[in-house]
Amino acid sequence: MTNKSIKDSVLNDIEQQKQNKQQETSKYEQALSKYNLNVKDEEVKAAVKKIIAEKASEDDTIDVKKFLLGSIELTSLHTTDTEEEILAMVEKVNQFDSDYADLPHVAAICTYPVFAKLISQSLEVDGVEITNVCGNFPSSQTFIEVKIAETALALKDGATEIDIVMPVGKFLSEDYEGVADEIQELKETCGENAMKVILETGDLGSCANIKKASILAMYAGADYIKTSTGKEKVSATPESVYVMCQAIKEYYEQTGIQIGLKPAGGINTVMDAVIFYTIVKEVLGKKWLTNKWFRLGTSRLTNLLLSEILGKEIKYF
């Protein structure tokens, strides 16, 4: 083969790759075109303000707070986490059933994958999921092979649910094919285990981008969409939760597939959680108001809810 022939062959291969990528990109663009992406930040703020003003106070009840307690994913994601600290947290969850038999236990325990085996061997309460953050949490900036390996190892060690971070850099570069392909590969690794996709909404820049990221994540196989890692300056906000609920609603209407929601990061008060509950109720309806479809990623909120439910300060967890 001559040099010219080799050069022509290489150029043909490059052109074919470009055409394939354009076809894949158009596939995702076609999926996005089915949804209303013309989302204005000011309109979202106004809608959220109206919901909070007119509806939140009626949800500020003991029954709602009990529900929220049962929707918490008790979370510890610190650089300093030790096996002793994680075990103590699990033992608290185990003991809670005896100490507060009339209250719902938390929905899940959320930690790094290195603790999956410890939790799976020590957790005694039925119905509490073991959630692990995987895929190079919180940045998602590593090779897909590494993400797959970490996810598979977490599941092998006993994780029952997996939280991954959407590759935000790829999304901001409009590499929607790359975003969707990564999510899809990790969902294939998870199999029947639920996978939550963290959008890192505080980094996306606009409500329109939050809507687009939500649709892409669900289209690629997310079982839940989650607001934040809690590691960035802006985490869960009422506006981001509202837009994600709108996306979930539209996706459900298009496909019949129910997708869960997990606000996480920056949930500092009981009223923060009540507002998220109200938004879910008003946008998605009662079908989402179970601890399967609505989760809260937090640590501090557990004691705050217990204190309000019981009418005295509680520092149990």
Side-chain angles (χ1 to χ4, degrees), residues 193-221:
N193 297 91
M195 185 182 76
K196 309 183 197 83
V197 177
I198 304 167
L199 307 180
E200 204 65 284
T201 52
D203 289 342
L204 297 184
S206 69
C207 289
N209 272 348
I210 293 172
K211 181 76 170 286
K212 186 179 290 186
S214 298
I215 297 297
L216 278 172
M218 292 186 289
Y219 184 80

Side-chain angles (χ1 to χ4, degrees), residues 36-313:
N36 174 26
L37 300 178
N38 185 27
V39 184
K40 305 297 185 185
D41 289 9
E42 290 306 315
E43 291 176 3
V44 169
K45 287 180 182 178
V48 168
K49 185 177 180 180
K50 188 174 189 294
I51 289 174
I52 293 172
E54 296 180 1
K55 301 292 185 178
S57 61
E58 68 187 50
D59 293 323
D60 188 13
T61 68
I62 295 299
D63 284 344
V64 168
K65 290 167 188 175
K66 287 181 179 179
F67 168 79
L68 292 170
L69 179 65
S71 294
I72 284 177
E73 296 199 13
L74 191 62
T75 302
S76 190
L77 296 170
H78 305 294
T79 303
T80 55
D81 284 342
T82 65
E83 288 191 350
E84 291 78 11
E85 289 170 338
I86 300 302
L87 182 59
M89 183 170 69
V90 175
E91 288 175 346
K92 285 288 187 180
V93 173
N94 290 338
Q95 187 63 31
F96 187 86
D97 260 6
S98 299
D99 293 344
Y100 297 98
D102 57 335
L103 294 179
H105 56 66
V106 297
I109 297 171
C110 180
T111 67
Y112 287 109
V114 71
F115 300 114
K117 183 175 287 187
L118 174 67
I119 297 170
S120 66
Q121 291 174 344
S122 54
L123 182 61
E124 299 170 358
V125 183
D126 291 337
V128 177
E129 303 291 345
I130 302 172
T131 302
N132 278 177
V133 293
C134 293
N136 198 43
F137 178 95
S139 73
S140 192
Q141 297 283 19
T142 193
F143 306 102
I144 185 60
E145 293 84 357
V146 174
K147 296 179 182 183
I148 290 170
E150 184 181 33
T151 301
L153 287 168
L155 292 166
K156 177 178 175 292
D157 278 354
T160 59
E161 297 183 346
I162 298 295
D163 288 14
I164 66 163
V165 183
M166 178 186 75
V168 177
K170 288 184 178 181
F171 176 84
L172 294 174
S173 296
E174 299 185 3
D175 180 8
Y176 303 141
E177 178 191 2
V179 171
D181 285 353
E182 280 205 13
I183 293 170
Q184 186 175 21
E185 286 193 63
L186 288 166
K187 179 54 188 171
E188 288 172 1
T189 305
C190 290
E192 295 300 313
N193 297 91
M195 185 182 76
K196 309 183 197 83
V197 177
I198 304 167
L199 307 180
E200 204 65 284
T201 52
D203 289 342
L204 297 184
S206 69
C207 289
N209 272 348
I210 293 172
K211 181 76 170 286
K212 186 179 290 186
S214 298
I215 297 297
L216 278 172
M218 292 186 289
Y219 184 80
D223 298 295
Y224 295 73
I225 49 176
K226 175 179 171 181
T227 58
S228 323
T229 62
K231 304 298 185 182
E232 297 293 283
K233 290 181 180 179
V234 179
S235 292
T237 66
E239 291 77 18
S240 62
V241 170
Y242 177 84
V243 173
M244 290 165 72
C245 285
Q246 291 283 1
I248 290 170
K249 181 180 180 180
E250 290 180 32
Y251 186 79
Y252 182 68
E253 290 170 350
Q254 285 274 355
T255 67
I257 299 170
Q258 188 169 2
I259 301 295
L261 174 74
K262 182 180 173 181
I267 306 174
N268 296 315
T269 69
V270 171
M271 185 50 67
D272 288 341
V274 170
I275 287 169
F276 293 150
Y277 173 96
T278 300
I279 292 170
V280 170
K281 184 183 75 172
E282 295 301 317
V283 178
L284 291 172
K286 292 183 178 180
K287 188 171 184 177
W288 269 263
L289 294 178
T290 75
N291 76 346
K292 176 179 179 181
W293 298 110
F294 178 60
R295 299 282 183 80
L296 293 165
T298 180
S299 53
R300 65 173 65 87
L301 187 64
T302 319
N303 286 332
L304 295 175
L305 281 167
L306 278 172
S307 297
E308 293 208 9
I309 291 166
L310 299 173
K312 59 182 179 180
E313 186 176 14

Side-chain angles (χ1 to χ4, degrees), residues 16-35 37 174-178 180-181 215-216 219:
Q16 186 62 51
Q17 289 172 10
K18 285 181 179 179
Q19 290 176 7
N20 291 342
K21 187 167 185 178
Q22 285 172 354
Q23 290 173 358
E24 288 295 315
T25 300
S26 66
K27 180 177 74 172
Y28 297 114
E29 293 286 2
Q30 186 177 3
L32 289 169
S33 71
K34 298 177 182 178
Y35 299 89
L37 300 178
E174 299 185 3
D175 180 8
Y176 303 141
E177 178 191 2
D181 285 353
I215 297 297
L216 278 172
Y219 184 80

